């Protein structure tokens, strides 16, 4: 199972774009990259999933380079309410749910 | 659409006592997961059900933890006897996807969790 490495914490300011990078050097050919967000006292919430290049939804964008050994979650124009822990997972439908790292604690300041 | 329901939200027990947590997944979701999340850590998978069968319980401490999903709908996770290190949030998640040999993972839908404190 591919493991992921993320920064433990990040700070930013309201209105800025925030990019969180995840390293997954041992990603397998069939693996997808998925990001979740978790607020205190809540369960994780799905943000975005992708396999290659770029994926965008109403909340975020996910950039995946050609070698797929890393990925970057991009949050446009963050607000205070984006303060949360962000988890990067890799895997396919048979295994991706098995290993969660400690995530990246993102703190947005006014 | 109703989300994943869990109860109780909070539970405080003495060590060596027992506790049970209940989860009702989103209607029609075939796969149900129980995770343990210790403060400051990511969720750790305890057990995965597909319908009423166990798919993966390799990380479940079977000497004290048990789980069932008898009718393929709601599920119960039990801890008996509890230890201090079991203090954590127990998260239930569900997915409409069945575990296959691969493919897109889709989204896991999580409940709000049940916070256990063992004294």
């Amino acid at each position: 199972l591919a493991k992921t490495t993320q920064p433990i914490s990040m700070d930013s300011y309201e209105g800025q774009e925030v990019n969180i990078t995840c390293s997954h050097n041992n990603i397998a050919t069939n693996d997808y990259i998925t990001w979740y967000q978790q607020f205190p006292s809540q369960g994780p919430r799905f943000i975005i999933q992708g396999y290659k290049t770029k994926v965008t939804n109403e909340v975020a964008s996910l950039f995946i380079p050609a070698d797929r050994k890393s990925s970057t979650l991009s949050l446009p124009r963050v607000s205070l309410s984006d303060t949360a822990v962000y988890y990067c997972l890799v895997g396919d439908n048979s295994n991706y749910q098995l290993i969660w790292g400690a995530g990246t604690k993102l703190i947005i300041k006014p | 659409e109703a989300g994943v329901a869990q109860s109780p939200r909070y539970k405080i027990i003495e060590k060596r006592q027992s506790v049970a947590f209940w989860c009702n997944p989103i209607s029609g979701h075939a796969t149900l997961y129980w995770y343990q999340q210790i403060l400051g850590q990511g969720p750790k998978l305890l057990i995965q059900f597909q319908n009423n069968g166990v798919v993966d319980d390799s990380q479940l401490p079977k000497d004290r933890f048990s789980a069932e999903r008898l009718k393929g709908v709601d599920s119960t996770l039990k801890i008996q006897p509890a230890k201090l290190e079991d203090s954590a949030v127990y998260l239930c998640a569900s997915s409409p996807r069945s575990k296959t040999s691969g493919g897109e993972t889709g989204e896991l839908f999580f409940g709000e969790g049940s916070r256990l404190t063992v004294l």
Side-chain angles (χ1 to χ4, degrees):
Chain A
L1 295 174
K3 292 191 176 180
T4 60
T5 302
Q6 303 174 234
I8 294 174
S9 64
M10 293 179 66
D11 292 350
S12 189
Y13 292 90
E14 282 191 291
Q16 299 295 306
E17 178 184 79
V18 171
N19 297 311
I20 306 174
T21 298
C22 179
S23 173
H24 29 80
N25 291 319
N26 296 322
I27 190 168
T29 302
N30 296 330
D31 286 346
Y32 286 76
I33 300 156
T34 312
W35 286 80
Y36 283 82
Q37 174 191 56
Q38 186 175 28
F39 297 115
S41 300
Q42 294 187 24
R45 185 179 71 169
F46 175 90
I47 301 174
I48 198 165
Q49 183 175 82
Y51 183 80
K52 62 180 179 181
T53 62
K54 177 183 175 182
V55 180
T56 297
N57 61 23
E58 64 277 7
V59 175
S61 295
L62 178 59
F63 298 92
I64 305 168
D67 66 6
R68 303 200 328 122
K69 293 183 182 297
S70 66
S71 59
T72 299
L73 175 72
S74 181
L75 304 172
R77 297 179 300 282
V78 294
S79 64
L80 295 177
S81 62
D82 291 314
T83 294
V85 178
Y86 293 81
Y87 295 96
C88 165
L89 289 83
V90 297
D92 67 13
N93 195 41
S94 66
N95 63 31
Y96 92 109
Q97 65 276 31
L98 296 182
I99 298 180
W100 293 59
T104 297
K105 185 173 184 179
L106 175 65
I107 298 173
I108 305 301
K109 302 175 182 178
Chain B
E1 178 182 77
V4 176
Q6 290 190 245
S7 67
R9 285 297 313 276
Y10 304 94
K11 188 74 175 179
I12 301 174
I13 61 173
E14 301 278 338
K15 60 183 178 182
R16 292 188 289 274
Q17 287 186 323
S18 63
V19 63
F21 301 111
W22 174 81
C23 172
N24 192 18
I26 293 173
S27 178
H29 280 195
T31 307
L32 184 148
Y33 309 81
W34 282 102
Y35 287 87
Q36 178 193 60
Q37 187 172 27
I38 294 172
L39 186 65
Q41 300 181 18
K44 171 189 168 185
L45 180 69
L46 294 175
I47 190 167
Q48 177 186 355
F49 292 93
Q50 185 168 306
N51 297 312
N52 60 351
V54 175
V55 174
D56 189 319
D57 63 356
S58 57
Q59 298 184 90
L60 186 73
K62 299 181 185 61
D63 57 333
R64 300 184 299 106
F65 287 64
S66 64
E68 59 184 15
R69 192 185 185 198
L70 292 176
K71 298 182 179 179
V73 181
D74 58 346
S75 175
T76 303
L77 175 71
K78 296 179 181 178
I79 307 174
Q80 181 179 14
K83 293 185 175 181
L84 296 178
E85 58 262 35
D86 297 332
S87 293
V89 175
Y90 291 87
L91 294 163
C92 179
S94 69
S95 167
R97 291 176 181 267
S98 297
K99 181 169 180 172
T100 65
S101 59
E104 191 176 70
T105 60
E107 176 180 352
L108 294 189
F109 297 82
F110 283 83
E112 291 187 309
S114 295
R115 181 178 297 276
L116 173 66
T117 301
V118 182
L119 303 176

